[in-house]
Amino acid sequence: MGQRHEMRNGSRHTMKIPRSLRPLVEDGMVDTVLRQLQSGKEATVYVVSCGDDIRCAKVYKNADHRSFQKVADYSEGRKTRGSRDARAKGRRSSHGRKVQEAEWKNAETEALYRLVGAEVRVPMPYGVQDGVLLMELVQDEDGNPAPRMNEVAMTREQALEWHAFMMRQIVRMLCADVIHGDLSEYNVLLSADGPVIIDLPQAVSATGNNHALRLLARDVNNMRATFSRAAPELLETEYARELWYLYESGDLNPETVLTGRYDRTEARADVDAVLDHIEQARLEAEEDRKLAQEEEWGD
C-alpha cells in the first residue's frame, strides 16, 4: 500500500511504471511506483518510493483532458517569461497553448514553495519534472494516506477547532499573496497533525488577479459551509467580509486573529453586494456538485 510501516517491514508492492513517470525513474528521482492513489479530472496521483521516503507523484493531465472551467480567471495576472511567449498566449496559437499549459503545471509547485515559506500547512514539494510534481505524502496517525475532509465525521468541538485553524491558514496565504481559488472539503486532507491544504494549480495572486475577491470569498464561505454542518453557529459568521476589509485597509498580517464579525458601515456597499452574489453562487455551485456526484455514483 505504500505506507510507512511497509518501509519499516522492508516489504512493498510495486506496479508497472506509467509512461508519465518513466523519466523520473530513469533520472533517479523515483525508485519504484507503489500504486495509484487517486485519479481525477485534472491529475492522477501515484504513491512512489524515493530512497527511504514514500512520496506522491502528481501527473497533470493535458488541457484537452482537463475539464477545469474558466481557466482564464485563474491564469490572469500570472507572469509569462519572454515577450514571444506572452504574444503567443495572446494569439492563442499552438505555442501559446503550450506556454499556458506549462504555466498551469508549474503554478502549483510555485505556490507550494511560497506557502511552505509562509508556514502554511501544505504538502512539502520536492520539484516538478516533465509535468510531474513530486511532493510529500500526507498521512494519518496510522501511516495511511490521509483522508479528505469530506470523508471525516467530526464533532462540534472538532469543527470549531478545524475551522479556526483553516481561517488562520487562509490569513497566512493571503499575506503571502496567494488565494487557493478552489478551496473546499475535497481539497483539505486530515493528517495526523490536523488539516493540510492540497490541490493548488489554480492558485492566484491576490494583487494581480481581478477575480481575487470573488475567489477568496468562495474559499472562505466553502469552509464555513463545511464546518457549519457540525457547528451551526458558524453560519452566523462573516469571515470573508472581515478578511477582505482588513486586507484592503492594510491591517492584515500573518498573526491576525479574525473574529468572524463585520461592521457593514465600515466598508463600501458594492463590496457587500459582490459578496452576497458570491454566496448565492456558492450555494448554487454546491447543489450542482451534489447532483453531479449523485449521477456519478449512479453510474
Side-chain angles (χ1 to χ4, degrees), residues 42 58 60 68 74 78 103-109 111 180 198-204:
E42 319 304 329
K58 183 173 185 177
Y60 296 98
F68 207 94
Y74 296 95
R78 290 181 179 173
E103 290 179 351
W104 181 266
K105 293 177 178 179
N106 289 330
E108 182 163 26
T109 307
H180 188 287
I198 62 170
D199 291 341
L200 288 128
Q202 73 294 314
V204 303

Side-chain angles (χ1 to χ4, degrees), residues 242-253:
E242 178 190 14
L243 181 56
W244 190 255
Y245 175 74
L246 291 172
Y247 174 71
E248 278 203 318
S249 63
D251 294 326
L252 191 71
N253 65 70

Side-chain angles (χ1 to χ4, degrees), residues 185-201:
E185 60 189 309
Y186 301 94
N187 292 329
V188 179
L189 300 180
L190 187 59
S191 76
D193 299 319
V196 177
I197 299 169
I198 62 170
D199 291 341
L200 288 128

Side-chain angles (χ1 to χ4, degrees), residues 232-243:
E233 59 265 44
L234 290 174
L235 291 172
E236 303 302 319
T237 61
E238 296 189 277
Y239 284 98
R241 289 183 169 90
E242 178 190 14
L243 181 56

Side-chain angles (χ1 to χ4, degrees), residues 164-184:
F165 178 83
M166 290 302 300
M167 290 304 100
R168 292 196 296 273
Q169 300 307 293
I170 292 173
V171 166
R172 288 182 176 274
M173 290 176 70
L174 188 55
C175 290
D177 193 35
V178 177
I179 295 173
H180 188 287
D182 192 36
L183 188 60
S184 74

Side-chain angles (χ1 to χ4, degrees), residues 123-135:
M124 176 67 70
Y126 296 105
V128 62
Q129 178 176 320
D130 297 319
V132 180
L133 170 60
L134 199 61
M135 59 182 172

